[in-house]
Amino acid sequence: MKNPLHYQLTEYDCGPTSLLNAVNYLFEREEIPPEIVRNIMLYCLDCYGHAGHLPIRCRYITGEAVHLGQNGALRDALQRGGAAVVLVDFEGWHYVLLTQIQGDSVYLFDPYYREQPFEDGQIGMDAEHPKQYNRIVPVSALEKECWEPYAMGPAAAREAVLVFNERTMLTAERTVEYVI
């Protein structure tokens, strides 16, 4: 059973909330051991590697490697059924969960609860998919190197954690290609 994704409880827990949302997005509730919740809260993003018996794979990327270009690790992770916890600007640095990419749009879950729509109309809000995303953001907005909502900012300052469910991630072995 899947649960809706969660919003942060304070102004400061966007990182662990987004990482817990990645696990929630990729795995069924019954599969998630309580140790992973404890460990994420205790050791969030400090490379502590114990996750119980959950078949999870994570990869930290930083700097120029964090982009949504065609050959980038971030786009590849989303296209292969993974998710990514990404640092963006939102009135200061803030972590969100990217779950899908389709065309020029990225679907993400922002753990910061917001009721009002964005004034510029570029960023869409969605309350109909609480188990997947609550924002639809243009790739061009995320790729900006300035300080605007959801921009990943200067390339040198970017960071992301790519997260996969090893049982469901698309791999070359699980993908059939036909060559004519």
Side-chain angles (χ1 to χ4, degrees):
M1 179 170 96
K2 292 283 189 177
N3 281 332
L5 301 179
H6 299 278
Y7 289 95
Q8 62 195 70
L9 297 175
T10 72
E11 294 293 320
Y12 306 101
D13 63 326
C14 56
T17 301
S18 291
L19 198 51
L20 286 167
N21 279 338
V23 172
N24 190 19
Y25 174 74
L26 294 169
F27 296 92
E28 298 290 326
R29 182 172 77 178
E30 297 81 6
E31 296 178 282
I32 302 170
E35 294 86 10
I36 192 135
V37 175
R38 185 195 78 200
N39 290 340
I40 287 172
M41 295 309 289
L42 287 173
Y43 306 104
C44 186
L45 304 178
D46 80 346
C47 301
Y48 183 76
H50 178 72
H53 298 304
L54 195 63
I56 190 168
R57 179 182 300 177
C58 299
R59 178 177 164 214
Y60 176 74
I61 58 175
T62 187
E64 305 221 356
V66 182
H67 65 86
L68 290 159
Q70 290 300 323
N71 297 319
L74 193 51
R75 180 180 288 265
D76 178 65
L78 297 175
Q79 290 175 331
R80 292 192 307 125
V85 176
V86 177
L87 185 64
V88 297
D89 177 49
F90 199 80
E91 298 177 11
W93 289 119
H94 178 60
Y95 289 98
V96 297
L97 176 69
L98 279 56
T99 59
Q100 300 173 35
I101 187 166
Q102 293 180 6
D104 293 332
S105 296
V106 175
Y107 296 75
L108 64 87
F109 191 88
D110 184 341
Y112 192 84
Y113 185 74
R114 179 184 178 102
E115 292 181 342
Q116 300 299 315
F118 291 87
E119 292 179 14
D120 67 3
Q122 182 180 15
I123 297 167
M125 293 181 57
D126 184 297
E128 302 300 315
H129 298 89
K131 298 176 184 177
Q132 298 174 311
Y133 57 89
N134 62 3
R135 306 279 189 278
I136 303 170
V137 180
V139 168
S140 59
L142 281 156
E143 288 287 1
K144 288 184 178 179
E145 294 198 38
C146 58
W147 310 116
E148 291 183 14
Y150 299 108
M152 292 188 287
R158 294 179 179 189
E159 65 178 34
V161 177
L162 310 179
V163 187
F164 294 93
N165 176 337
E166 290 183 334
R167 288 192 305 259
T168 61
M169 76 179 194
L170 295 177
T171 63
E173 297 81 31
R174 293 182 186 149
T175 305
V176 176
E177 287 189 29
Y178 294 97
V179 178
I180 298 176

